[in-house]
Amino acid sequence: MTAANYKLPPGLAADIDAYAHEVGRFLSGSLPAAVFKAGRVPRGVYEQRRDGTFMVRVRVAGGTLNADQAQALAELSREFGNSRLHVTTRQDIQFHDVAIGDTPAIMRRLLAVGLTSRGGGGNTVRNVMACPYAGVCPGECFDVTPCAHAVTEYLLPLVGSYNLPRKYKLAFSGCGADCALAQVSDLGFIAAWRDGRP
């Protein structure tokens, strides 16, 4: 397995177990749909317009995946979804036409390759973006991808980042061209040098 881009919090497996319990209660009719929705949406699971189908949005911090992660996403989409992956404007990956009963298994498989859907929806700190040309742009001051990974690693375990008044978006751009749209994000950073230091 190739190395992960950032570390996921150790409590994520327990959170998936708690979510799986909620799914079971929902499917048995003992958890009302509105209560279940409040717990599944911050975990990146949205109901689609067709009854009984769901979408899973996976965080891809800085828009970077390693080979194992990309392979796992393709396999999950074929096994549980409609065999298509959708890349969002915020560098997430979504797959559609998923049965709600399959979402805990999907989350566990994501965790095994260093990915999560946690924070993929609702009033949460959303996926942290980086310039799509980070690391290869000839005009960048420096590669901002490690910044997006570090902020993601910091935010993922923070319980408070999953129950905000409104969704919150962050972005890192490597130069003044601002390809990551940092200037229109809630919190945006544009790489620069000051006193000889990045």
Side-chain angles (χ1 to χ4, degrees):
M1 179 169 144
T2 53
N5 297 320
Y6 48 89
K7 294 177 191 159
L8 295 178
L12 203 51
D15 182 66
I16 295 169
D17 291 341
Y19 170 73
H21 181 70
E22 292 172 15
V23 169
R25 289 182 57 216
F26 171 72
L27 290 173
S28 72
S30 65
L31 184 65
V35 175
F36 180 54
K37 179 180 179 181
R40 70 172 160 75
V41 170
R43 290 178 172 113
V45 180
Y46 280 89
E47 190 167 13
Q48 293 182 208
R49 289 192 173 101
R50 289 186 309 282
D51 288 339
T53 63
F54 290 80
M55 176 271 291
V56 177
R57 182 179 296 137
V58 182
R59 295 175 74 120
V60 181
T64 58
L65 293 169
N66 64 40
D68 290 332
Q69 291 169 334
Q71 181 67 36
L73 287 168
E75 289 171 1
L76 286 167
S77 181
R78 283 193 297 269
E79 186 174 341
F80 296 108
N82 62 10
S83 298
R84 285 181 233 128
L85 296 172
H86 174 87
V87 181
T88 73
T89 57
R90 292 213 52 84
Q91 300 175 332
D92 295 297
I93 300 287
Q94 296 176 172
F95 44 100
H96 298 260
D97 300 330
V98 173
I100 195 65
D102 291 333
T103 55
I106 291 168
M107 291 175 180
R108 288 185 181 106
R109 297 253 301 269
L110 290 170
L111 181 60
V113 293
L115 292 172
T116 183
S117 62
R118 187 175 183 181
N123 294 328
T124 65
V125 178
R126 296 293 186 88
N127 191 44
V128 180
M129 290 179 58
C131 173
Y133 304 108
V136 296
C137 174
E140 72 184 1
C141 292
F142 54 88
D143 182 356
V144 294
T145 308
C147 300
H149 290 172
V151 169
T152 298
E153 196 170 298
Y154 174 79
L155 289 170
L156 279 173
L158 294 181
V159 175
S161 70
Y162 300 98
N163 191 20
L164 300 172
R166 186 72 179 113
K167 61 188 173 185
Y168 198 80
K169 298 177 177 180
L170 291 93
F172 289 86
S173 284
C175 70
D178 192 15
C179 296
L181 303 177
Q183 295 178 78
V184 297
S185 294
D186 295 304
L187 184 58
F189 299 89
I190 298 176
W193 287 81
R194 183 176 296 155
D195 299 326
R197 295 173 47 190

